[in-house]
Amino acid sequence: MNEKILILDFGSQYTQLIARRIRELNVYSEIVPYNKIPQLDESIKAVILSGSPFSVTDEKALKVDLDQLLGKRPLLGICYGAQYIAHSKGGKVEASSKREYGKASLSKIVGQDPFFDGIDSKSQVWMSHGDTVTNLPEDFELLASTDSINVAAYKSKENRFEKPVYCIQFHPEVTHSLDGLKILKNFVIDIAGCKGTWTPASFVEETVNSLRNKIGDEKVLMALSGGVDSTVGASLLHRAIGDQLYCFFIDNGLLRKGEYQQVLDSYQGMGFNIKGVDSKERFWSEMAGVSDPEAKRKVIGRVFIEVFQEEAKKFEGITYLGQGTIYPDVIESISVHGPSVTIKSHHNVGGLPDSLDLKIVEPLRMLFKDEVRKVGAELNIPKAILGRHPFPGPGLGIRILGDITPEKVALLQEADAIFINHLKKHDLYDKVWQAGTVLLPVQSVGVMGDERTYEKTIVLRAVNSMDGMTAEWSKLPHEFLAEVSSEIINNVKGINRVVYDISTKPPATIEWE
């Protein structure tokens, strides 16, 4: 990358949003833990300190050596970052009488400064902090206030540091800060001097050249899923090394109805040297009686690795293993401040044994999901593949709550096919980010004709999101939901109740397990 913005992560829920907003400006941004600052080479044009759930006054506050940063590059502290700079340089940070959370308006912007160029003095911003800066360090001066706090923004005084330092107690990365993207643009483009040339086309060119130089005339093996990530990753590899790429698609018995053949058909003519591997009976056998969600993921991952190893041995001269890892997988697998709680195991990060003796190549490792789709469009990948909803690596295994049997898989596949087909029929599929069905391990009483039934429940889940890090439930029409419910109950024997999940992420997750 010829230019990038480095973001130091102090554990804020919004850190990824900072990176995403900057990338919207066609400037590459990269997140690293606050305590793993790389050498500031020429490619790093500015540094941003993120927010944090911690208080700078806590004994266990996350600390960074500011001497590594101040004056070296333009610096922006956001929320915790702003408070940390004030606290570290002799200012005063105190706990507010009440936590300031939500919308606020700038009440005044002091003087003329490029940071607030084009920003209205009453611009709406988003606050989320319990502490506030009450006294500025002597090397800094006030930039802006709100009605509720005096120090909403401040900056280093002229010529106190070789490069300017800006600090704000609001979150410009959140869309509720109406001019937030403009503020970030002022910092990244005008103050840090970035040119904004990082586009899908430039990414493809740089990545293909890098892959070609890295791999040379060696061979790459890659397992495809039919999804966006693995397809775009394989396409980049194919453009770089051609028929040195070998792929296979494993049927783990947890795919959607008819998906195995559909995926194989969709890859025809794309030059992936693809082979199908039908292993569903093996997966079902290994998962028999396993109910715990994390245990199921581990069994599915283990069997996948075993099948992968067996298939890999059938290829000669393979040196590299291709993976469709994307940036959220990487970030969520890195702990910012010590061991973190496992929400769920990521099937894309690590997991393959050293005994494979293959080097890893991950063309999409630094991209968010929507960026992967843009790169796919640049590569002319068919819209039917690019527009496909995300589908979890463990497949229906984490959409069947409780133990897995072939009968439950078949039941869920039928209900899922009805839901997805109706979304497409009513032109709703492309308006939803991800949709699927969940089979609950409970039965309830129903009535069909004059008969009493005691059958299973299906949950419909549909969400809208940018990258899956946060999600809102989709406001599907009631008439549509009624039609889907009726068809599932009338046509899928064993289902007598359909419900719709209206939970957001957070606090819920998109998948139920």
Side-chain angles (χ1 to χ4, degrees), residues 86-345:
H87 181 72
S88 300
K89 302 306 291 183
K92 191 171 184 179
V93 177
E94 297 180 288
S96 302
S97 57
K98 65 175 183 177
R99 179 177 173 82
E100 187 170 31
Y101 183 84
K103 299 173 185 176
S105 294
L106 298 177
S107 60
K108 61 181 178 180
I109 297 176
V110 180
Q112 300 292 318
D113 192 277
F115 187 79
F116 280 120
D117 185 39
I119 306 301
D120 186 82
S121 61
K122 300 294 184 182
S123 181
Q124 176 182 296
V125 295
W126 181 261
M127 296 286 189
S128 179
H129 60 91
D131 293 346
T132 189
V133 178
T134 54
N135 284 324
L136 289 175
E138 63 177 28
D139 287 336
F140 294 83
E141 60 188 4
L142 184 68
L143 261 186
S145 305
T146 68
D147 291 335
S148 55
I149 59 171
N150 183 49
V151 182
Y154 67 97
K155 64 170 286 191
S156 56
K157 292 179 180 177
E158 196 75 25
N159 300 322
R160 290 300 171 94
F161 302 103
E162 188 173 337
K163 300 292 183 180
V165 181
Y166 289 89
C167 297
I168 52 180
Q169 291 205 97
F170 58 88
H171 289 272
E173 69 275 19
V174 176
T175 55
H176 295 302
S177 291
L178 299 183
D179 294 314
L181 188 61
K182 172 64 175 170
I183 290 171
L184 289 173
K185 180 176 183 288
N186 289 344
F187 178 73
V188 169
I189 303 296
D190 298 334
I191 294 170
C194 291
K195 296 181 176 60
T197 57
W198 192 69
T199 63
S202 68
F203 175 84
V204 169
E205 182 180 359
E206 289 177 13
T207 302
V208 166
N209 288 335
S210 174
L211 291 170
R212 194 173 287 143
N213 292 333
K214 177 179 181 177
I215 298 168
D217 59 0
E218 297 182 281
K219 296 177 181 178
V220 178
L221 182 63
M222 187 169 184
L224 301 184
S225 68
V228 176
D229 301 337
S230 66
T231 303
V232 175
S235 295
L236 284 166
L237 284 164
H238 180 256
R239 180 168 289 198
I241 62 172
D243 60 8
Q244 295 163 233
L245 173 66
Y246 296 85
C247 301
F248 54 82
F249 176 48
I250 297 173
D251 184 356
N252 61 6
L254 302 167
L255 303 173
R256 283 177 158 147
K257 183 181 179 181
E259 189 171 28
Y260 179 58
Q261 193 57 49
Q262 289 169 11
V263 167
L264 289 175
D265 291 344
S266 69
Y267 284 139
Q268 294 304 312
M270 295 181 71
F272 292 165
N273 291 327
I274 189 163
K275 172 189 175 185
V277 182
D278 184 351
S279 298
K280 56 179 176 288
E281 295 290 345
R282 179 169 175 177
F283 277 87
W284 290 339
S285 173
E286 293 278 358
M287 288 187 293
V290 180
S291 298
D292 178 75
E294 195 66 12
K296 284 196 290 187
R297 285 178 177 270
K298 284 182 166 53
V299 170
I300 294 166
R302 174 179 59 78
V303 179
F304 178 87
I305 290 169
E306 291 171 358
V307 174
F308 189 100
Q309 285 181 293
E310 292 166 11
E311 292 300 320
K313 290 175 182 176
K314 299 176 183 178
F315 294 88
E316 293 184 0
I318 299 294
T319 307
Y320 283 93
L321 171 66
Q323 288 190 312
T325 310
I326 62 174
Y327 206 26
D329 297 335
V330 175
I331 295 170
E332 289 188 357
S333 297
I334 298 174
S335 174
V336 170
H337 42 79
S340 57
V341 174
T342 298
I343 297 174
K344 60 183 180 181
S345 297

Side-chain angles (χ1 to χ4, degrees), residues 388-420:
R388 184 177 185 262
H389 288 180
F391 191 63
L396 301 182
I398 56 170
R399 293 182 180 176
I400 297 172
L401 274 61
D403 67 323
I404 296 168
T405 66
E407 293 74 24
K408 289 181 182 178
V409 172
L411 201 66
L412 186 55
Q413 284 177 331
E414 292 297 330
D416 183 80
I418 290 171
F419 185 30
I420 299 302

